[in-house]
Amino acid sequence: MQIRMAWLGCCLGAIASGAVIAKPMHSVASPTVIVDAHGLGEQGVRDLTDAEGVLWHAEFGSELLLGVQDASLPSWLARDDARAGPARLAFDEIVVRDHVCTVHSPETPLAVVGGYQILRRPPALVRATKGAAIIGEPLPEDGVVARLAANSALANQAKGANPTTARIVAKVDAARWFEDVSGLAAINRNSFSDELPHARDWLLQRLSDAGLQTGTHSYTLNSSSCGTSLPDRTLDNPWGFKRGGRRADEWIVIGGHYDSRNAVRCDGVSNVQPGANDNASGCAGALELARVFRNVPTERSLLFICFSGEEQGLVGSLRYVQDLIAEGRMAQIKHMINLDMIGHAVSDNLDARVETNNAQEALLAVYATAAATYAPELNLITSAATQAYSDHWYFLSQGVPAVFTWENGAGIYPQYHSVGDLPTAMLRAEAVAGGILKMDTAVLVDQAIASDLLIDNFEGAVH
Ligand SMILES: [Zn+2]
């Protein structure tokens, strides 16, 4: 009661001044529980977050984190779908991070919830680092970092499949994709490895075999992010280009990084750095999509590109975006799909994510519909709270409608950034990657092919 009245007084002043209002329960440190969110539905999530004894909540897609009253903790922990979270934690001291490819952070996470790593930080520091895109972000005000499409208004988005789209989607060959993952994983692809050019040529050959015009975008990588001084290197982003028809000047970029690492990020010495899931899986995904669109006439042009230097701070994609800007061609990019770690699912739920930022939030419904219609085996998780942790970031920062489609986070993959990141370590690889690639194919059809061509199904064109 006390808190409530005092809070009411101050918030009226704050509303008048437009200040950010910290919800009262957000500053209360309490015991926490982590609850499985699969199958709850929109109302089921609300019933849980509004339940007696819940002080605050955060949603991480496949799991919920609840701050609960001490007295209610035993009954929560007695549930089959719940497990203990961090002992005492307040909403506003939580920092969320994932896929820490790009940052050198020794901090051990408090817990992994829904594939996301959560850290504790003094609330003032949490607020101060909001949006700094350094090591993690605070929780969004509503606590929703990510949400299962099935637990949101995006549930049941399946629509009648378009026959032509379905025929193109059916061309996705997950076994062929896995072969490429194995091929790339056999090459040491650290950005500082002398073997990286071999991987570049391996990719160029396959992009050419897919009927594409090929080339490389080159740039210089320095060792500023390595924590040790190493000579600068000239690196390449190999690409394959499919020219469109009526709107050939409008490009869609499909990318994923091909460089790898173990525990040491800039390691030109260790000769086994397989990076099968991170990220032979994503780069091979771009290659598979190139094959899927072979012989499919498109209005817009498609650029399939694998970036290097990602593990050193998204350098390859940053340099590519900087050159687009320098050449006045940034506006030419109409859509971007980033694939990074698409090959691991811990359960038959086949959880997968589509992430973007608030400005492009409308894309989440597009991907949810595509998944529900053409890859219903996926349990899609949507998030408008993406961070600077993979190659979609600099496209997004230039206002490009860009998404990151991948597995349910890096925190679920035990062999992350290790010599054990082998094709055999990826669970349900073809099932989850196949689903993600089918979803992306369906959206690409909508983005690249004019609807009138889709309507008349151009029977002869797709084979
Ligand atoms: Zn990666």
Side-chain angles (χ1 to χ4, degrees):
M1 193 55 175
Q2 227 6 274
I3 297 174
R4 283 200 182 290
M5 297 315 293
W7 182 68
L8 191 56
C10 77
C11 99
L12 288 173
I15 290 174
S17 66
V20 174
I21 307 165
K23 290 203 179 98
M25 292 300 150
H26 283 188
S27 59
V28 173
S30 67
T32 66
V33 291
I34 299 168
V35 183
D36 184 350
H38 290 101
L40 288 177
E42 212 172 353
Q43 187 55 47
V45 169
R46 211 170 298 129
D47 292 346
L48 272 181
T49 56
D50 293 348
E52 183 70 26
V54 172
L55 300 171
W56 55 264
H57 70 270
E59 199 170 337
F60 295 89
S62 57
E63 290 186 310
L64 299 171
L65 178 66
L66 307 178
V68 300
Q69 287 175 339
D70 292 83
S72 70
L73 183 60
S75 60
W76 282 104
L77 292 178
R79 296 171 58 109
D80 296 342
D81 60 354
R83 60 190 170 98
R88 291 205 86 78
L89 188 62
F91 180 101
D92 59 13
E93 60 185 352
I94 293 174
V95 165
V96 181
R97 71 175 188 199
D98 199 320
H99 200 269
V100 286
C101 267
T102 57
V103 289
H104 231 347
S105 166
E107 265 173 297
T108 308
L110 284 176
V112 173
V113 185
Y116 289 90
Q117 298 180 340
I118 58 172
L119 304 142
R120 182 200 314 272
R121 210 142 304 122
L125 183 58
V126 171
R127 281 192 293 276
T129 54
K130 182 174 173 53
I134 44 173
I135 306 174
E137 287 288 317
L139 289 170
E141 196 45 40
D142 63 359
V144 180
V145 174
R147 176 166 280 172
L148 271 164
N151 290 348
S152 76
L154 296 177
N156 312 318
Q157 289 280 314
K159 61 176 186 173
N162 173 290
T164 300
T165 305
R167 245 197 315 283
I168 299 171
V169 167
K171 293 174 70 179
V172 171
D173 182 337
R176 180 171 60 187
W177 161 81
F178 193 74
E179 275 170 32
D180 284 337
V181 170
S182 307
L184 274 173
I187 307 170
N188 172 2
R189 306 182 320 284
N190 190 289
S191 293
F192 285 82
S193 152
D194 293 337
E195 268 190 66
L196 192 68
H198 174 44
R200 173 203 59 204
D201 298 342
W202 187 99
L203 283 166
L204 287 170
Q205 183 57 56
R206 282 157 183 76
L207 288 164
S208 169
D209 294 347
L212 300 172
Q213 177 197 341
T214 61
T216 58
H217 167 262
S218 303
Y219 65 96
T220 300
L221 176 73
N222 63 39
S223 59
S224 60
S225 69
C226 299
T228 176
S229 174
L230 295 165
D232 289 2
R233 306 177 73 92
T234 299
L235 293 190
D236 299 302
N237 299 326
W239 51 260
F241 183 69
K242 176 183 171 64
R243 183 167 296 284
R246 289 183 290 190
R247 292 153 67 189
D249 288 342
E250 298 180 8
W251 289 22
I252 297 175
V253 174
I254 300 102
H257 73 94
Y258 71 111
D259 61 307
S260 65
R261 59 168 285 182
N262 297 344
V264 176
R265 108 199 307 229
C266 307
D267 181 353
V269 179
S270 308
N271 52 22
V272 179
Q273 303 185 66
N277 196 20
D278 189 14
N279 186 37
S281 70
C283 175
L287 191 52
E288 178 57 24
L289 292 177
R291 292 191 191 108
V292 166
F293 278 87
R294 183 173 192 165
N295 302 324
V296 174
T298 59
E299 280 223 314
R300 288 175 160 166
S301 297
L302 304 179
L303 181 80
F304 302 90
I305 185 166
C306 289
F307 300 108
S308 49
E310 193 268 359
E311 302 289 5
Q312 287 70 35
L314 313 181
V315 183
S317 58
L318 171 60
R319 293 286 179 272
Y320 184 73
V321 165
Q322 287 172 333
D323 287 350
L324 283 173
I325 295 169
E327 294 157 16
R329 296 177 42 232
M330 199 69 233
Q332 200 173 2
I333 313 299
K334 300 303 180 187
H335 196 84
M336 195 271 180
I337 298 178
N338 179 47
L339 299 158
D340 194 345
M341 300 184 72
I342 68 170
H344 186 74
V346 295
S347 75
D348 293 334
N349 283 317
L350 293 186
D351 294 334
R353 280 193 210 160
V354 54
E355 298 189 15
T356 191
N357 62 10
N358 284 327
Q360 306 296 344
E361 190 165 4
L363 289 174
L364 299 177
V366 173
Y367 281 80
T369 300
T373 308
Y374 298 100
E377 68 273 24
L378 287 183
N379 234 307
L380 193 72
I381 292 159
T382 65
S383 174
T386 196
Q387 299 179 24
Y389 45 52
S390 193
D391 295 307
H392 57 305
W393 183 257
Y394 289 112
F395 290 88
L396 269 179
S397 64
Q398 292 303 316
V400 172
V403 296
F404 178 15
T405 60
W406 59 316
E407 64 187 36
N408 190 20
I412 65 166
Y413 188 56
Q415 298 303 336
Y416 182 55
H417 288 175
S418 86
V419 70
D421 183 1
L422 297 163
T424 48
M426 298 154 65
L427 298 180
R428 300 174 185 82
E430 293 183 24
V432 68
I436 292 168
L437 295 176
K438 287 191 288 181
M439 169 180 69
D440 292 350
T441 297
V443 174
L444 278 174
V445 168
D446 274 356
Q447 291 287 330
I449 303 178
S451 51
D452 56 349
L453 285 180
L454 279 179
I455 290 164
D456 67 19
N457 291 342
F458 56 99
E459 282 297 330
V462 177
H463 53 267

